[in-house]
Every structure is written in C-alpha cells, then in structure tokens.
C-alpha cells in the first residue's frame, strides 16, 4: 500500500513535474497490494478476524505515514541544501518519533505489564535487523533516486517482498506449510509486480546514450 500511497501523495507534496502520477506505476503498485492481500487471506484461511482487520488498518496507516515522512524529509533536504546521509536521516526520524513510542510504552505497561526476557530479545533482534540494517539500506536507496519519482516508487515497492520472505522463513524456521492456492498466487503477483517495476524504471536508462555506447565495440 505504501507504493500506491506514495504515487497518490505526489499531487500534494511536489510542485514540479514530479506531481505527475504514471498510470503504469500506480497499476503495478495496486497489483502488488492485491498480491499482499491474497497472501494474507490465504494465510488466514480466507477470512480475517476482528484482530486481523484492526492489525490491517494499523498497517495501512503506517504504510501511508512512513513514505510520507521519508519523502517530506527528502524534499526538505533538497530545498535547504543540507547534506544528510542515510544514517543521519534514520536517526532524525527515530528521534522525532520518540514521544509517540513513549506513549505506546506507557500504554503497554499498563495493559500487559513488563515484557518477558524472550520478548526483549525478539524486540532487540527486530530493532537491529529491520530498524537499523534494513531501514538504513532503504533510506540509502531512496536517497539515491530522490529526483526520480518512478524509481522512488520502485524502491518503495520492494517492501512488498517482505511478505514473501516472511512466508518462506515461516516454512523454513517455524514448520509452516508451503504456500498453496491463494497464498502462492499472491506471492507470484508480488514478485511479478516488483519485476515489472524494475523493468519500467530501467527502460529510460536502457535507451540513454551512455548505455548505448557501452554496448558498442568501442564502448567495450
């Protein structure tokens, strides 16, 4: 959904040619979102309970807010001329979101009490792998294509692969069954959407003079 939301937010964020919404990118983003929904519905035996729908609503809100904050930060850096690398950007957004996390911490402490040792270790593992390593790599990639909205959407589309990896890791580590039916179809749709995004992003580069020169005998 972050791919679809990222395309729709262009009208409100940018004031130049980047406001244009490429129909192909929007269609591929919608297809990836549909593939993720198929994955989730197949994993939940075709139906989501009340907790599942609440979780989905929270994830949709997060999928909208996260790329919004990232794009607004990139736009601010572009206008101000301040050079911030990926690590500095991750640190800034983490620091700015601390008040919200403190509220969540207080609510969780009142409702569920302190976490167990196993939960602390699991939380630390998620924070290191997803919060530090993956997010820094993601911010580095978005910073490299900040002036190319289509490529920026393709980078955001790679987040759809997380669901595919989660299913595969569930099979390998948790003993879950291999995806079949709607789950397998959803995974195929997500992978096909990512490949399609990579293809439409690479088309302008494939037709450039630099790439054409490299393909000639002189360029080789």
């Amino acid at each position: 959904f972050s791919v679809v939301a990222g395309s729709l937010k262009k009208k409100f964020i940018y004031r130049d040619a980047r406001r244009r919404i490429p129909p192909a990118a929007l269609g591929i983003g919608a297809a990836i979102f549909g593939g993720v929904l198929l994955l989730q519905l197949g994993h939940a035996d075709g139906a989501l309970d009340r907790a599942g729908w609440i979780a989905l609503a929270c994830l949709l809100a997060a999928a909208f807010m996260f790329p919004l904050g990232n794009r607004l930060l990139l736009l601010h850096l572009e206008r101000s001329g301040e050079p911030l690398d990926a690590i500095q950007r991750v640190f800034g957004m983490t620091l700015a979101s601390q008040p919200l996390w403190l509220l969540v911490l207080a609510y969780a402490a009142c409702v569920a009490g302190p976490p167990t040792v196993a939960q602390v270790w699991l939380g630390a593992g998620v924070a290191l792998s997803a919060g530090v390593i993956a997010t820094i790599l993601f911010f580095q990639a978005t910073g490299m294509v900040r002036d190319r909205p289509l490529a920026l959407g393709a980078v955001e589309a790679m987040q759809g692969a997380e669901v595919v990896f989660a299913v595969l890791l569930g099979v390998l580590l948790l003993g879950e069954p291999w995806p079949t039916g709607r789950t397998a179809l959803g995974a195929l749709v997500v992978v096909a959407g990512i490949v399609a995004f990579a293809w439409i992003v690479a088309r302008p580069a494939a037709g450039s003079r630099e790439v054409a020169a490299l393909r000639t005998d002189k360029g080789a």
Side-chain angles (χ1 to χ4, degrees):
F1 184 71
S2 62
V3 186
V4 179
S7 297
L8 297 177
K9 287 194 293 281
K10 292 179 182 179
K11 291 288 186 181
F12 307 99
I13 297 177
Y14 300 111
R15 294 292 180 267
D16 50 21
R18 290 175 291 182
R19 295 186 63 189
R20 178 181 174 272
I21 301 176
L26 187 60
I28 294 173
I32 293 175
F33 180 53
V36 172
L37 287 180
L38 282 174
L39 267 168
Q40 296 302 313
L41 291 175
H43 195 67
D45 297 326
L48 295 178
D49 56 13
R50 179 175 179 274
W53 284 110
I54 293 176
L56 180 60
C58 293
L59 286 172
L60 291 179
F64 181 86
M65 298 303 297
F66 182 76
L68 176 63
N70 185 31
R71 291 195 181 211
L72 288 176
L73 178 58
L74 289 172
L75 191 60
H76 169 73
L77 295 176
E78 176 185 309
R79 291 172 176 173
S80 63
E82 299 175 12
L84 292 183
D85 58 26
I87 295 177
Q88 292 170 323
R89 287 162 53 207
V90 171
F91 174 75
M93 294 189 70
T94 303
L95 184 64
S97 64
Q98 285 305 301
L100 176 61
W101 295 122
L102 292 176
L103 291 175
V104 173
L105 173 64
Y107 174 78
C110 295
V111 174
T116 63
V117 176
Q119 289 174 332
V120 171
W121 279 110
L122 286 172
V126 172
L128 177 62
S129 58
V132 178
I133 299 174
T135 305
I136 289 177
L137 290 174
F138 176 75
F139 272 47
Q140 176 65 25
T142 55
M144 293 170 66
V145 294
R146 65 178 68 186
D147 298 325
R148 300 166 56 195
L150 190 59
L152 189 58
V155 172
E156 292 173 347
M158 285 301 299
Q159 296 176 89
E162 294 177 10
V163 185
V164 178
F165 289 127
V167 172
L168 294 178
L169 290 175
V171 172
L172 297 176
L173 302 179
L174 302 178
E176 297 177 352
W178 280 97
T180 57
R182 278 180 292 193
T183 305
L185 177 61
L188 291 175
V189 171
V190 171
V191 173
I194 292 174
V195 172
F197 238 131
W199 179 71
I200 63 174
V201 170
R203 277 192 306 171
S208 65
R209 294 181 179 180
E210 291 80 0
V211 174
L214 289 174
R215 288 176 175 172
T216 62
D217 293 336
K218 183 181 297 185

